[in-house]
Amino acid sequence: MIFSDKITALAAQAEKELSGIYRDIDELSFFNTSRIMDAFSEYRVSSTMFDGTSGYGYDDRGRETLDLIWARVFGAEAAFVRHGIVNGTQALTIGLFGLLRPGDLMCSVAGKPYDTLEEVIGISGERGNGSLADFGVGYRQIELNSDGTLDFEAIGSLLRYEKDKNKPVKVIFVQRSKGYLNRRTLTVEEIGKLAGFVKSISPETYVVVDNCYGEFTEKCEPSALGADMVIGSLIKNPGGGMAECGGYIAGSARAVELASYRLTSVGCGLEVGATLGQNKNLYKGLFYAPHTTAQALKTAHFAAYMFGALGYNVSPLWNEKRSDIIQTVITGSPELLCAFCRGIQKGSPVDSYVTPEPWAMPGYNDQVIMAAGAFTQGSSIELSADGPLREPYTVYFQGGLTYESGKIGIMSAAEAVLKG
Ligand SMILES: *Cc1c(COP(=O)(O)O)cnc(C)c1O
């Protein structure tokens, strides 16, 4: 791919300024890789664990061992990871339906949850489809403070109010990553503080974290700091670009057990689930995950530098610490949003010849444009960009299986935006 002198020079300047940050990211990747290798060693991972089971999938040592490893790596009492969970939304649905009963209350404390959860909760879409609202689960929402931090005062008073009514809040739900919102991403430390705060007032309350895009961007996960359920997708960070599909839940033993009854059935829980030869991809994915996440982090810093230098409003800034792999650029117009996505598409290893167009995606309220030239459909640990067609036309992008390819994609997007 040939780039203009302007973009080539800017890229060189970016890498010079980012060298210290890239070194820190390499160190983070080393730290998390060594945690994973220690767990592999402790649980004696062997090639026989990659053999798949069929049918009920009883005694699948590969599956059972990976659950233990996942729990260890996530600093959790228990975990499950399954290729059969179709996406992050389903993993979150399993977790929420596992915990919530009719008459219970759930409160989202980082404002509106991710778009696809709205219909699951029942705050949008039709009634009668089996949302949490249809089952009589109440929903509250507490916005973040104007500086993007958690509103502990409001959270505390809700918890106390419901506890005084003898009906403690069942689930405090928090989304770590900004998702499709113009807000700060929460750090693991902040979520840990939330978990401690919630438990100090209302020990019965479960703290559930939408961990999508956050995994391995820090040295530990929210489950290590007291969250009861941490949930994510394998076609994002923890699948390392290797998992073909899947999701996971990690957390406290009882919460994970309750989720397991929703995953399969009450009684069967985690004792069943044929792995059909997918174990190797999931092990390999976890093994790669810190490295792949590091590639995505470097790509995000690079993009923040490039688009910041070109005069766009970016978040986070090029030199800001991250707790997820999402980078946003406010393009300001539908034309530039689409140009950006076309540039990313053109700089992708697969389907580089296609032109992305906005469409009404299931589960989303606005039209969305998505650019992805991924080996795995919809994978967003691979370089991908998307944005809902609404003000201020923010493009959200993430991923990059290798820094080199991520850099090419970002340079291509920069060229496309310069041309308009
Ligand atoms: C990706 C994501 C989800 C789940 O989306 P799927 O497309 O169903 O995997 C949920 N929450 C956040 C913050 C996400 O980034």
Side-chain angles (χ1 to χ4, degrees):
M1 204 170 255
I2 298 176
F3 296 108
S4 65
D5 290 347
K6 175 170 177 173
I7 294 300
T8 306
L10 196 56
Q13 185 188 325
E15 288 188 325
K16 199 160 150 250
E17 297 238 30
L18 283 163
S19 61
I21 289 172
Y22 286 179
R23 225 175 304 119
D24 293 344
I25 293 172
D26 288 339
E27 198 271 325
L28 170 75
S29 172
F30 177 80
F31 181 87
N32 282 328
T33 297
S34 72
R35 294 199 300 123
I36 287 168
M37 289 181 70
D38 286 347
F40 273 40
S41 162
E42 181 183 338
Y43 290 105
R44 304 166 76 104
V45 171
S46 74
S47 58
T48 57
M49 292 175 183
F50 306 150
D51 300 336
T53 49
S54 61
Y56 291 129
Y58 287 135
D59 300 318
D60 188 312
R61 272 185 61 237
R63 184 192 73 221
E64 290 170 1
T65 305
L66 188 61
D67 285 352
L68 293 170
I69 290 172
W70 210 272
R72 158 55 69 93
V73 170
F74 279 72
E77 288 173 2
F80 60 79
V81 47
R82 293 292 181 280
H83 78 272
I85 296 175
V86 302
N87 56 15
T89 305
Q90 193 196 358
L92 287 155
T93 302
I94 290 166
L96 291 173
F97 274 86
L99 296 177
L100 290 156
R101 302 288 177 267
D104 281 349
L105 183 63
M106 149 184 189
C107 178
S108 171
V109 297
K112 194 181 85 61
Y114 194 71
D115 292 47
T116 59
L117 285 184
E118 289 184 21
E119 288 189 47
V120 174
I121 297 167
I123 47 179
S124 73
E126 285 163 39
R127 291 306 289 261
N129 288 342
S131 66
L132 287 167
D134 283 336
F135 282 94
V137 173
Y139 175 76
R140 294 284 152 70
Q141 187 169 301
I142 293 175
E143 303 304 320
L144 294 170
N145 293 319
S146 54
D147 64 353
T149 55
L150 292 160
D151 186 347
F152 282 100
E153 218 178 284
I155 299 165
S157 33
L158 176 75
L159 288 169
R160 278 186 218 98
Y161 179 76
E162 297 295 327
K163 199 178 154 73
D164 288 346
K165 287 197 310 188
N166 265 330
K167 193 78 184 91
V169 175
K170 181 59 90 58
V171 165
I172 289 288
F173 182 83
V174 61
Q175 181 179 306
R176 175 173 170 183
S177 166
K178 61 166 64 95
Y180 276 156
L181 295 171
N182 279 317
R183 67 135 160 115
R184 259 184 78 242
T185 288
L186 297 170
T187 64
V188 172
E189 192 186 346
E190 283 173 288
I191 297 172
K193 195 176 146 209
L194 171 72
F197 178 77
V198 170
K199 301 284 172 183
S200 72
I201 298 172
S202 182
E204 314 75 349
T205 301
Y206 291 106
V207 175
V208 177
V209 184
D210 176 350
N211 204 34
C212 283
Y213 287 132
E215 299 91 350
F216 305 118
T217 60
E218 295 196 51
K219 289 188 171 178
C220 73
E221 302 299 328
S223 31
L225 299 184
D228 293 285
M229 254 193 203
V230 166
I231 304 173
S233 160
L234 296 194
I235 59 170
K236 294 179 178 171
N237 313 16
M242 294 287 163
E244 302 277 357
C245 50
Y248 76 89
I249 295 183
S252 57
R254 180 60 177 160
V256 170
E257 183 189 4
L258 286 169
S260 80
Y261 296 146
R262 261 286 151 175
L263 172 74
T264 60
S265 68
V266 177
C268 290
L270 298 182
E271 307 207 19
V272 292
T275 51
L276 308 172
Q278 289 298 317
N279 278 343
K280 183 167 147 187
N281 289 335
L282 303 198
Y283 275 92
K284 206 170 165 189
L286 180 61
F287 170 76
Y288 266 92
H291 177 77
T292 310
T293 302
Q295 305 299 295
L297 280 172
K298 287 181 185 176
T299 302
H301 279 275
F302 178 75
Y305 190 97
M306 294 288 284
F307 283 92
L310 291 172
Y312 289 89
N313 200 328
V314 299
S315 174
L317 299 173
W318 70 273
N319 53 359
E320 245 178 295
K321 238 180 114 47
R322 280 132 207 273
S323 188
D324 69 8
I325 61 168
I326 299 186
Q327 179 67 44
T328 64
V329 176
I330 298 182
T331 67
S333 76
E335 292 75 27
L336 284 179
L337 172 61
C338 293
F340 185 102
C341 290
R342 283 196 303 272
I344 292 286
Q345 189 74 39
K346 206 162 152 243
S348 297
V350 183
D351 293 335
S352 61
Y353 60 90
V354 306
T355 307
E357 299 284 352
W359 64 303
M361 243 186 103
Y364 295 84
N365 289 330
D366 297 283
Q367 278 204 329
V368 178
I369 182 162
M370 298 200 151
F375 293 98
T376 297
Q377 187 197 89
S379 167
S380 45
I381 186 63
E382 301 186 45
L383 189 66
S384 48
D386 35 67
L389 266 80
R390 64 182 177 221
E391 292 273 356
Y393 302 99
T394 304
V395 67
Y396 296 77
F397 67 95
Q398 60 274 318
L401 280 183
T402 64
Y403 169 66
E404 296 82 348
S405 64
K407 178 181 163 187
I408 289 170
I410 296 304
M411 289 172 76
S412 165
E415 296 279 13
V417 168
L418 274 188
K419 288 195 192 99

